[in-house]
Amino acid sequence: MKREAQVPLADASAVAHRSLLTQATTSLVGYRLRRAQLSVFHRFLMLFDDLRLRPAEYSVLVLIADNPGRKQTEIAEVLGIKRANFVTLVHGLAQRRLVERAASADDRRANALHLTAEGQAFVVRARALHDAMEADLVTRLGGPAGRDRLLSLLDRLT
Amino acid sequence: MKREAQVPLADASAVAHRSLLTQATTSLVGYRLRRAQLSVFHRFLMLFDDLRLRPAEYSVLVLIADNPGRKQTEIAEVLGIKRANFVTLVHGLAQRRLVERAASADDRRANALHLTAEGQAFVVRARALHDAMEADLVTRLGGPAGRDRLLSLLDRLT
DNA sequence: CACTTATGTTATCAACTATAACTATATCCG
DNA sequence: CGGATATAGTTATAGTTGATAACATAAGTG
């Protein structure tokens, strides 16, 4: 995880056999973006190891908690998940008794998603965990202003 | 790609059946980071569709170009790729006659990586393509100063 | 009504990542 | 020196993720 050290040299083979010229890759927006995202997600995975919850699952649970009764497709689309792949995801959460798929009243094709009582308690715990992580990230970014600057910059890339 | 619209409501089920409450997920650093990264990578994939080159392959080629003669393990480690997975990646590039695996002089176990003449010409083309994309990203970020601010913020997350 | 679209689902497939085990070398140290 | 240990590349394998196609059922629509 420690690169850098780009000495101004004409020929890399003339330099010591330890440092590589990496500025052509490591200085790229896409590359750094990926590394930062992997780092944050890795931290999430560590933190949620006990709860056996993945980032996508967490976002699904929170979204259902805030929008009970919505169809699978609606939740999936907001998160950019294909509905075919969303089936497996919801199935796992349903097996763990965190989510219920109720038959929708007005559309018999659709599954209305709700949290179970257990699911709601679970989300409270998960949210607390994640809020702590988020708070630490904000601190690293130099407070809410730094966070907002980052989000603003990220938006311009999308 | 168009969320937002968090009306101050006590119950989401009372609101119109179109907008979802998403601020709990979409305002998160990790989530936005992932979306931005996916967006940039998606753009990369579109751009490099003709060249049939993936982001990881591009970074490998550039790294070999700037550091000819290095061992597979060295290149792989810098990029955070497991050497077991790096084998397949290099094999693909070698089959396309872009990269050569030469026996290392001082270590008969190691493969010294070089670009072929064809590989060097290919990298020139790829670099030009990528430089154009990078320039556009920098423009979106409000110039080099914006880019540097972004990279600085991303570093704090790692 | 027939035609088209939407929902959830299953079955695949490709790409990426991670781990274990193996070989052949290399290095270390008593 | 020589045996133990570590390293480079490789293979095999499994888990995760994302994408696509096809299907049954149900809604919508002219």
Side-chain angles (χ1 to χ4, degrees), chain A residues 11-13, chain B residues 63-71 75 112-115:
Chain A
D11 186 2
S13 60
Chain B
L63 211 50
I64 296 176
D66 290 350
N67 303 275
R70 293 300 186 133
K71 296 184 297 181
I75 303 291
L113 298 179
H114 296 273
L115 295 187

Side-chain angles (χ1 to χ4, degrees), chain B residues 18-151:
Chain B
R18 14 178 77 127
S19 59
L20 276 78
L21 294 175
T22 61
Q23 87 283 9
T25 44
T26 57
S27 69
L28 304 177
V29 171
Y31 180 83
R32 297 279 278 276
L33 209 47
R34 171 171 166 267
R35 300 297 280 216
Q37 189 255 309
L38 286 179
S39 173
V40 170
F41 265 50
H42 184 258
R43 186 165 169 198
F44 185 102
L45 290 174
M46 300 283 103
L47 191 64
F48 281 80
D49 189 53
D50 297 358
L51 296 186
R52 308 197 53 68
L53 202 64
R54 315 192 148 280
E57 293 172 328
Y58 174 74
S59 61
V60 167
L61 286 182
V62 170
L63 211 50
I64 296 176
D66 290 350
N67 303 275
R70 293 300 186 133
K71 296 184 297 181
Q72 287 189 190
T73 304
E74 291 179 296
I75 303 291
E77 193 192 4
V78 170
L79 294 173
I81 303 174
K82 305 277 178 189
R83 68 188 198 286
N85 298 326
F86 197 65
V87 172
T88 310
L89 204 164
V90 172
H91 187 67
L93 297 175
Q95 270 191 329
R96 295 167 66 181
R97 309 291 176 189
L98 301 175
V99 166
E100 274 178 347
R101 291 186 261 201
S104 176
D106 50 313
D107 189 338
R108 282 189 292 174
R109 298 167 301 179
N111 288 342
L113 298 179
H114 296 273
L115 295 187
T116 63
E118 190 180 345
Q120 295 188 17
F122 187 85
V123 164
V124 169
R125 281 209 295 156
R127 263 191 158 125
L129 257 188
H130 185 276
D131 285 353
M133 180 179 120
E134 187 79 6
D136 179 76
L137 291 180
V138 171
T139 298
R140 291 191 189 211
L141 294 172
R147 189 259 325 268
D148 292 345
R149 270 189 296 144
L150 175 62
L151 296 187

Side-chain angles (χ1 to χ4, degrees), chain A residues 48-75:
Chain A
F48 282 81
D49 189 53
D50 297 0
L51 296 186
R52 307 197 54 68
L53 203 63
R54 312 186 152 282
E57 293 172 329
Y58 173 74
S59 61
V60 168
L61 286 181
V62 169
L63 211 50
I64 296 176
D66 290 350
N67 303 276
R70 293 299 187 130
K71 296 183 298 181
Q72 287 189 190
T73 302
E74 291 181 296
I75 303 291

Side-chain angles (χ1 to χ4, degrees), chain B residues 2-13:
Chain B
K2 61 209 40 165
R3 7 232 118 69
E4 313 311 301
Q6 59 269 28
V7 193
L9 284 173
D11 186 3
S13 59

Side-chain angles (χ1 to χ4, degrees), chain A residues 2-9 11-23, chain B residues 63 66-68 70 74-75 78:
Chain A
K2 62 217 28 171
R3 5 231 119 68
E4 315 310 303
Q6 59 269 28
V7 194
L9 283 172
D11 186 2
S13 60
V15 77
H17 273 276
R18 17 178 71 126
S19 59
L20 276 75
L21 293 177
T22 60
Q23 87 282 10
Chain B
L63 211 50
D66 290 350
N67 303 275
R70 293 300 186 133
E74 291 179 296
I75 303 291
V78 170

